[in-house]
Amino acid sequence: MIGLYREGDSLLHRLPAGAKLLALLLVGVASPFVRSPLVTVCGLLVVLAGYAVARMPVRVLLQMLRPLLLVMVPLAIFQTVVAGWQRAVVIVGVLVALVLLANLVTLTTRTSELIDVVVRVCGPLRRVGVDPERVGLMLQLAIRAVPLVIALGHRVRSAQHARGLTASPRAFAVPLIVGALRRADELGDALAARGLDD
């Protein structure tokens, strides 16, 4: 769900990346203090209104919600049994709102713009030996690694099915880890060849 930018000219697309990241940070910090189901529902409606303002198709929103259901439905049932339906609405609603808001930021902001903001924020740390450009490079590589590892996982799973192997966690994890480490070595060699040797 990283790097899902979709072209557009909406108000949210035109907002600076720094403002969107700051808003996301403030909402995240404030989220533990939400106690009312009404406030939770209002927050969810505001986030959904953000999708409308950004002119995101409904199918995009549904694609975001589908994987959440696998976690949120059992969580909602557990919280309802343990703490009551009001607490379940607050916990599940806040989590869904945060995930949807974070996705809205990535849908309306280029990854390069987000990384530029992080590099600028890390600028003052240069005095204590932190290289902001390297922090940005590290983030870019981490973001790029996510789809690569997912694709590697699909290839390993396909190879297992082709060989008629049963679903064994060890048979899946070992080739996935070896493949990821091999890719990391190749990436390290490529960085070293370009002068980034540490």
Side-chain angles (χ1 to χ4, degrees), residues 123-155:
L125 298 177
R126 204 181 293 271
R127 295 179 200 148
V128 294
V130 175
D131 184 357
E133 285 74 25
R134 288 197 179 220
V135 172
L137 176 63
M138 180 189 67
L139 284 174
Q140 184 68 42
L141 291 174
I143 289 170
R144 181 66 188 119
V146 171
L148 290 176
V149 172
I150 291 172
L152 179 60
H154 287 307
R155 284 200 302 272

Side-chain angles (χ1 to χ4, degrees), residues 129-194:
V130 175
D131 184 357
E133 285 74 25
R134 288 197 179 220
V135 172
L137 176 63
M138 180 189 67
L139 284 174
Q140 184 68 42
L141 291 174
I143 289 170
R144 181 66 188 119
V146 171
L148 290 176
V149 172
I150 291 172
L152 179 60
H154 287 307
R155 284 200 302 272
V156 170
R157 183 66 71 198
S158 297
Q160 282 184 320
H161 288 305
R163 292 184 180 94
L165 300 175
T166 57
S168 163
R170 186 174 58 186
F172 176 75
V174 170
L176 179 65
I177 292 170
V178 169
L181 291 174
R182 186 175 297 139
R183 182 59 62 94
D185 282 340
E186 293 169 358
L187 182 58
D189 292 341
L191 290 173
R194 287 160 178 78

Side-chain angles (χ1 to χ4, degrees), residues 33-110:
F33 302 102
V34 176
R35 296 282 183 264
S36 164
L38 180 60
V39 173
T40 305
V41 171
C42 290
L44 265 172
L45 291 175
V46 169
V47 173
L48 293 175
Y51 277 81
V53 169
R55 300 188 197 112
M56 291 295 156
V58 175
R59 64 180 172 76
V60 171
L61 180 61
L62 294 177
Q63 286 173 350
M64 301 292 168
L65 287 172
R66 193 174 301 126
L68 281 177
L69 292 177
L70 297 174
V71 176
M72 294 304 160
V73 170
L75 179 62
I77 294 170
F78 174 77
Q79 287 296 329
T80 302
V81 171
V82 172
W85 70 268
Q86 291 179 319
R87 189 68 185 144
V89 168
V90 170
I91 291 175
V92 173
V94 166
L95 289 174
V96 170
L98 286 173
V99 171
L100 290 180
L101 184 60
N103 280 320
L104 183 58
V105 170
T106 61
L107 285 165
T108 58
T109 316
R110 287 183 174 85

